[in-house]
Each structure stands twice: as C-alpha cells, then as structure tokens.
Amino acid sequence: MSAFVNGPARAAVDLRRASVRGGLVRRGAAVLAGTGIALAGLAVLAPVASADTTINGCVIVSKPTVDKFTDCAAANLAGAALEKMDLSFAKLAGANLTGTNLADSNLSGADLTAANMSLALFTNANLAKANLTNAYAPDANFDHADLREANLKGARFSGASLIGANLAGALDQNLAGAVTKEGEAPADNGSAGSATLPAVTPDTPLFGSAFAGSTNISGEGTGGEYVPPPAPMIGSAVTGSTNISGVG
C-alpha cells in the first residue's frame, strides 16, 4: 500500500520538476533570442571601414602609414579638391598640383620633389618634414601651414603667400619674392615667370626642369670656342615665352 501511495506522489513531483525545467528552457531560449537580436543590432550599427578614394587615376589610401601610403608620383591632380585629405607619407614627386585645393590636408612626410604647386591652396596644411626639393610653387597659398623641418632646397615661392606659416627647422629655405607678413607685397609682384633660375652651363643638368614665363637661356655655347652641348633636357617643361636659341 505504501508503494502504491508513493508512486503517484513521486510522479507528481517529477511532473512539477519537468514543468519547472521546461519554463527555464523557454525563458533561456527567449533570453538567447533577445541577445541574438541585440547582437544583430550591434552588427548593423558597427562602423564601416573607410575605403580608398580614386581621383584622376590616383588612389588615395585611407588611413596611410609609413608602409602603406598614396603613391601618385607624376600624377595629374591639377584643380582637384583634396582639402582635409590625409596624404601623410604620400609620394607626389613630379605631380601636377596646379590650382589644387589641399587646405587643411595632412601632407606630413610627403614627397613633393619637383611637384608643380603653382596657385595651389595649402592653407593650414600639415607639411611637417615634407620634401619640397625643387618644388615649383609660385602664387601658391601656404598661409598658416606647418612646414617645420620641411626640405625646401631649390623650392621656388615667387609670389606665394606664407603668412603665419611655421618654418621652424625648415632646410634651405629661400622665400625670395614670397609674402610672409600681412600687408607685404611680393618683391616681383607675384609674377610666376620671374623666378630666378640658376646659371646654365654646359655641365648643368636640365632633367625635369620647368621653364615658364619669360625665360632666357639663349647664347649658351656661343663664345667662339667649341663648347660641348649642355646636358639633355629630357622631361623638361618649357612653356610661355621661352628663348633657348643658340644653346650648344
């Protein structure tokens, strides 16, 4: 009789336990489902990685590093809107940046060797430690730009504005003809074609040289004696009223 009584009681207890376990399972499933929804929501809201930008065939690398950077040497970016772009460590040697808007851009450590930057806008740009060797920047605007420790060897700033620019530690800076103070007029009235060129001799290499405006290098090698012709002018840009008659 005891076994008969205990049997139904035990069965009832087992049913209650099963019911409790079932409730826990259902609640656990609901919690997991809610978590899944929350995770899905987080996945949707996660930021999307910035993509590279291509302008005139130049691929501008997003979030550049010293090992991964924009490589657009000799690219034609004339008149492009590149303000606030991160071009740190970029290779822009020989690039055409005529009239390009690079205001507030980051060009720290960039290579701008022999780049044409005439009429370009570099206001508030970061050019710290950039290489501007032989850069051509007449009438460009570098107001309040950071040029600390930049290499300015051979760079030409005729008619350019560098009001408020930071040139601390800049190498070989020659700002002849540039405006460096408020109300100051350029010594050459801002003529892009009046930059002083070095004397041309038969041994002077003219690779990649830019001759613009009224430039006269005539008469080289006409002193009566035989003088070997000057070094080749391969890659030189000759524009405007340029007289090279009698060379060699």
Side-chain angles (χ1 to χ4, degrees):
M1 186 68 178
S2 175
F4 176 80
V5 172
N6 290 336
R10 189 178 301 109
V13 170
D14 291 340
L15 284 174
R16 283 195 297 272
R17 287 177 178 172
S19 177
V20 170
R21 284 197 300 269
L24 291 174
V25 170
R26 286 192 295 273
R27 284 194 295 274
V31 170
L32 289 175
T35 303
I37 294 172
L39 291 175
L42 288 176
V44 171
L45 296 175
V48 179
S50 300
D52 296 346
T53 303
T54 301
I55 299 177
N56 291 354
C58 170
V59 179
I60 299 176
V61 175
S62 173
K63 298 180 180 179
T65 66
V66 69
D67 298 314
K68 183 184 178 183
F69 47 78
T70 297
D71 189 352
C72 290
N76 183 7
L77 294 169
L82 301 177
E83 66 272 21
K84 298 182 180 180
M85 283 282 187
D86 189 350
L87 292 164
S88 50
F89 313 111
K91 301 300 180 185
L92 295 167
N96 183 0
L97 300 173
T98 304
T100 303
N101 185 353
L102 286 152
D104 299 294
S105 59
N106 182 2
L107 288 149
S108 58
D111 182 3
L112 293 157
T113 303
N116 185 347
M117 303 187 292
S118 57
L119 300 170
L121 190 62
F122 289 94
T123 53
N124 300 306
N126 182 359
L127 290 151
K129 297 185 178 180
N131 187 354
L132 278 74
T133 301
N134 295 325
Y136 184 63
D139 301 310
N141 191 328
F142 292 89
D143 288 353
H144 305 288
D146 185 352
L147 287 157
R148 288 175 298 173
E149 299 183 50
N151 188 345
L152 306 180
K153 184 178 181 179
R156 286 167 287 180
F157 295 99
S158 176
S161 179
L162 290 97
I163 297 171
N166 190 341
L167 292 157
L171 304 177
D172 297 305
Q173 48 184 293
N174 180 0
L175 307 180
V179 177
T180 58
K181 297 178 182 178
E182 290 284 356
E184 182 180 47
D188 57 4
N189 297 320
S191 174
S194 60
T196 302
L197 294 175
V200 178
T201 67
D203 297 323
T204 302
L206 300 176
F207 290 95
S209 300
F211 297 98
S214 301
T215 304
N216 186 352
I217 59 172
S218 63
E220 295 300 324
T222 59
E225 73 286 356
Y226 172 74
V227 180
M233 296 176 67
I234 297 173
S236 298
V238 182
T239 60
S241 301
T242 304
N243 183 358
I244 58 174
S245 62
V247 175

